[in-house]
Amino acid sequence: MASSAPAPAPRLGRKRPLPACANPLFVRWLQEWRDEAAGQGRRARFVYQKALRSLLRYPLPLRSGKEAKILQHFGDTLCRMLDQRLEQHLASGGGKPVSELP
Amino acid sequence: SAQKINRPPKVPITPMPSYSIMETPELKKELDRFGVRPLPKRQMVLKLKEIFQYTHQILPSDSEDEIQA
């Protein structure tokens, strides 16, 4: 690549602050399931833990469990669980899973 | 000078990497940082652009402290 050209001075700007966590509900549910599984000594806790690790690295808000399928360690079962939980959550008057930007 | 409250500080804005010309292994590596599994190449490029745009939203500069005399 062009090595002789000096790097241009970076443009300065203000970035819109993003919520600390893009998917707080999904994170909370995965933590719940992980802790539940751990309490019962089920190996499923590793599945939830792995999924949680990729979810925490993903910066975009997910609108559904199905959409989480693109993340590492999110299989069909887990995505379905998230969708079911989301349905219950919305039915009981809970807010949307995504944190809207200010 | 006093920094205005509730406005984020000015930071260097990195230009978007040229995802469109990246090879598949490099695209996979970039997406791995965001917890995303390998996808078809076109989809990986789109996803990386989407992530970049979402995480690099630039606030409009306001006249108060941006205009230089």
Side-chain angles (χ1 to χ4, degrees):
Chain A
M1 296 287 280
S3 52
S4 55
R11 196 163 61 93
L12 291 180
R14 297 180 210 280
K15 275 192 206 171
R16 179 188 295 279
L18 298 175
C21 179
N23 296 287
L25 275 182
F26 285 5
V27 166
R28 202 209 301 161
W29 295 339
L30 278 171
Q31 284 168 340
E32 267 177 42
W33 292 334
R34 176 200 60 193
D35 296 344
E36 237 172 69
Q40 297 161 359
R42 286 187 292 129
R43 297 190 54 79
R45 70 177 184 272
F46 301 117
V47 178
Y48 299 128
Q49 181 56 43
K50 276 196 228 172
L52 193 53
R53 261 203 300 271
S54 21
L55 180 61
L56 288 172
R57 299 212 302 273
Y58 189 66
L60 301 178
L62 296 161
R63 280 156 216 86
S64 68
K66 196 162 177 275
E67 209 188 326
K69 191 77 206 293
I70 60 160
L71 298 183
Q72 293 160 359
H73 311 294
F74 277 73
D76 287 327
T77 312
L78 187 51
C79 294
R80 217 167 20 239
M81 284 172 69
L82 284 169
D83 274 331
Q84 277 167 6
R85 183 72 187 261
L86 181 58
E87 214 176 294
Q88 288 170 9
H89 173 82
L90 294 174
S92 63
K96 288 263 161 61
V98 299
S99 36
E100 301 295 342
L101 286 176
Chain B
S1 64
Q3 189 59 247
K4 270 182 90 181
I5 306 164
N6 73 40
R7 278 169 65 74
K10 279 198 155 190
V11 292
I13 305 299
T14 43
M16 174 150 34
S18 337
Y19 295 125
S20 314
I21 58 167
M22 277 187 192
E23 299 293 346
T24 303
E26 203 178 348
L27 291 169
K28 281 187 190 172
K29 221 172 71 191
E30 288 292 306
L31 274 183
D32 179 77
R33 295 170 43 211
F34 300 115
V36 179
R37 64 170 78 234
L39 303 166
K41 188 170 182 181
R42 212 184 94 78
Q43 226 176 308
M44 291 202 283
V45 171
L46 288 176
K47 184 48 76 179
L48 282 167
K49 286 183 177 173
E50 191 188 349
I51 291 175
F52 187 92
Q53 277 156 7
Y54 186 81
T55 55
H56 291 73
Q57 298 176 60
I58 310 304
L59 293 172
S61 53
D62 62 0
S63 49
E64 271 176 73
D65 58 353
E66 305 295 324
I67 288 178
Q68 314 282 320

